[in-house]
Amino acid sequence: MQIVARPSEGWVILDLSGDIDLAHSPTMRKVLLGEIKEKHMAKVFLNLKNVRYIDSSGIASLVEGLKASRDQGSRLILFGLSPAVREVMQLSRLQKIFEIYEDEEQALSS
Amino acid sequence: MEDRKVKTRTLENHEGAAPGSPANHKLQCNLCVGYELSPMCRVAQPSGSPKCKYRRAMRRLQPQKLLVVSCRGKWHRLLAGNHAVFPGSTEQEVRVRVPRKNMKGSHKPSKNRDRYHSELLLRLELESNPEALSLVRATLERAAESMHFPEADLRAIVRSVDEAVANVIRHAYKGRPGLPITLSCHKLWCKDANLMGGLEILLEDSGEPADPQKLQGRPLEEVRPGGLGLHFMRQSMDEVEFSRKNDKNLLRMVKYLEPARPETGEKENRPCR
């Protein structure tokens, strides 16, 4: 899994690619929580367009990120979910808990 | 399924507080195994009659526990690890809905293993390293593709196996690397018609025995990290069975092939009818 950060003033876009599973979710968690808690980004956008697979550990990391963002008064926004990722979000019944947008343009204009 | 009037009883408070009291907003019933119900919930009990459809539904869904509960005007069908809400009826009636996949009639493969014979498709001997998960997923994807599972079922199989192996690594082996896990996949063939019935996955490890309480899953209404792997497995596969034998944990999962449409399929790929 690769993570590329595109920071801007007060917000950051994290471009994720590959699989978010037990092997890689700790890395995503660390980066995500770093942006929220240490860098105090007001908005963190997660680009999941190139994420092929996510498992329950990846979902758990996203939930941790969401809780941290709410504690910090910031926003965690997801966009570009593939059908496989969307399916997992629906199985977890989290599709209405997270802010999810179709693409980067919609997410940034939110 | 037709509605039938069955006896209902008010859920008894197993926690000690009086029902209806302000503090008694969370009850833990030994039937619902970890689910918390409000004092308004009522547990539907089967009548003594052998014709009682609730009893028949219970038998059909064995060995999973079935609990039908009325809560705030909606009926909840609770299975171990699953929670489905369906349109309710009045408190005087019980609407029992058997899960759709269990109602497909004669073409639904029976859970009776004697109806099938199995053929080993592949066996993987791996170690408890998270890096191995991507290889497991790729292998299972190919195996399920070779059996012509539809896309959604293919993802379900891959997801379930990934979660199962991850659980072994995290819980049975407590994150320790390099310990043995055996994964085998069998094609299931219907004995009567020699048609392919499904895919059986067996996972074996020598780790800590599973805690039965933790095998029940958790309510999804709680938004918190963790506890979803088991839910994914149970939602994705047709059968999920945990057992322990000779100091080894055994997990058996089965995904049945759906009946092929009349215009498709070669004979050997048509599932059991």
Side-chain angles (χ1 to χ4, degrees):
Chain A
M1 185 192 68
Q2 286 188 321
I3 306 178
V4 174
R6 287 187 274 151
S8 188
E9 190 131 351
W11 51 270
V12 63
I13 300 177
L14 298 176
D15 297 311
L16 280 69
S17 57
D19 297 350
I20 307 176
D21 61 5
L22 186 63
H24 302 111
S25 58
T27 305
M28 183 191 76
R29 178 183 173 277
K30 188 177 169 187
V31 170
L32 183 58
L33 292 180
E35 295 291 341
I36 294 169
K37 288 184 176 177
E38 290 166 23
K39 296 182 185 174
H40 301 287
M41 289 292 179
K43 290 185 195 176
V44 176
F45 296 89
L46 282 185
N47 179 2
L48 300 174
K49 194 173 113 183
N50 294 317
V51 171
R52 293 172 307 196
Y53 177 83
I54 186 167
D55 71 357
S56 60
S57 67
I59 296 291
S61 299
L62 291 179
V63 171
E64 278 195 76
L66 180 68
K67 284 183 178 283
S69 69
R70 286 179 177 175
D71 290 342
Q72 297 286 323
S74 58
R75 286 169 66 190
L76 175 63
I77 298 159
L78 315 182
F79 67 89
L81 273 64
S82 64
V85 173
R86 200 174 285 276
E87 196 172 65
V88 171
M89 293 293 273
Q90 283 168 353
L91 271 176
S92 320
R93 299 192 194 165
L94 293 173
Q95 73 276 22
K96 292 184 181 175
I97 305 294
F98 283 92
E99 277 190 79
I100 298 174
Y101 294 93
E102 285 297 317
D103 52 37
E104 185 170 330
E105 191 183 334
Q106 287 183 19
L108 289 175
S109 61
S110 66
Chain B
M1 186 170 267
E2 296 173 7
D3 296 346
R4 268 184 77 88
K5 288 190 180 182
V6 295
K7 293 180 184 176
T8 62
R9 66 170 175 84
T10 303
L11 186 68
E12 290 184 5
N13 177 13
H14 295 267
E15 294 288 301
S21 64
N24 189 30
H25 61 281
K26 286 183 181 178
L27 294 175
Q28 188 100 14
C29 173
N30 58 359
L31 291 177
C32 47
V33 200
Y35 284 93
E36 294 175 339
L37 306 173
S38 78
M40 299 300 294
C41 292
R42 294 178 187 276
V43 176
Q45 292 288 314
S47 71
S49 166
K51 295 181 184 176
C52 171
K53 288 184 177 162
Y54 179 60
R55 284 188 69 185
R56 291 212 290 269
M58 284 278 286
R59 278 202 297 273
R60 207 175 308 165
L61 290 170
Q62 288 296 334
Q64 289 181 325
K65 290 182 186 176
L66 169 69
L67 185 67
V68 179
V69 175
S70 164
C71 183
R72 291 186 289 277
K74 288 187 179 178
W75 289 97
H76 300 246
R77 174 175 47 80
L78 301 179
L79 304 174
N82 291 319
H83 184 194
V85 178
F86 51 89
S89 56
T90 65
E91 285 191 353
Q92 282 73 42
E93 293 180 279
V94 173
R95 187 188 297 262
V96 178
R97 295 259 179 98
V98 179
R100 189 179 172 200
K101 64 180 180 182
N102 287 356
M103 288 185 72
K104 286 183 180 173
S106 59
H107 67 256
K108 171 66 184 175
S110 165
K111 292 183 181 182
N112 185 350
R113 298 186 199 191
D114 293 337
R115 283 191 59 182
Y116 297 92
H117 64 258
S118 65
E119 172 192 323
L120 180 66
L121 183 59
L122 65 93
R123 176 175 282 127
L124 297 178
E125 303 278 349
L126 39 128
E127 293 186 342
S128 56
N129 298 323
E131 290 73 23
L133 286 171
S134 60
L135 297 173
V136 170
R137 289 195 300 272
T139 307
L140 262 296
E141 189 174 2
R142 288 291 173 269
E145 266 178 5
S146 73
M147 293 180 65
H148 304 278
F149 275 98
E151 277 293 321
D153 286 355
L154 209 143
R155 286 196 298 269
I157 291 167
V158 169
R159 185 166 53 235
S160 299
V161 175
D162 177 88
E163 295 290 347
V165 176
N167 279 347
V168 170
I169 294 171
R170 273 192 298 201
H171 302 300
Y173 286 141
K174 308 288 185 209
R176 288 170 292 165
L179 297 173
I181 302 173
T182 304
L183 172 71
S184 53
C185 298
H186 296 82
K187 278 187 189 178
L188 294 179
W189 293 87
C190 299
K191 283 182 181 174
D192 348 339
N194 201 30
L195 295 171
M196 201 152 51
L199 179 67
E200 178 186 60
I201 294 155
L202 301 172
L203 193 65
E204 185 180 285
D205 69 86
S206 305
E208 303 270 334
D211 181 352
Q213 278 297 317
K214 291 189 178 171
L215 292 180
Q216 305 306 325
R218 67 164 176 87
L220 293 185
E221 288 74 17
E222 298 175 36
V223 179
R224 61 175 169 87
L228 288 173
L230 200 56
H231 170 73
F232 288 177
M233 285 156 58
R234 288 202 163 109
Q235 287 287 61
S236 301
M237 302 299 280
D238 293 313
E239 293 179 31
V240 177
E241 294 172 10
F242 294 92
S243 59
R244 189 163 172 90
K245 191 176 177 183
N246 299 331
D247 289 332
K248 288 186 193 286
N249 294 315
L250 301 167
L251 169 63
R252 176 180 178 268
M253 297 189 287
V254 177
K255 189 73 176 175
Y256 293 108
L257 274 164
E258 295 296 320
R261 291 180 185 180
E263 64 272 18
T264 66
E266 299 162 342
K267 184 179 176 182
E268 60 272 18
N269 290 334
R270 275 191 299 117
C272 295
R273 293 189 179 276

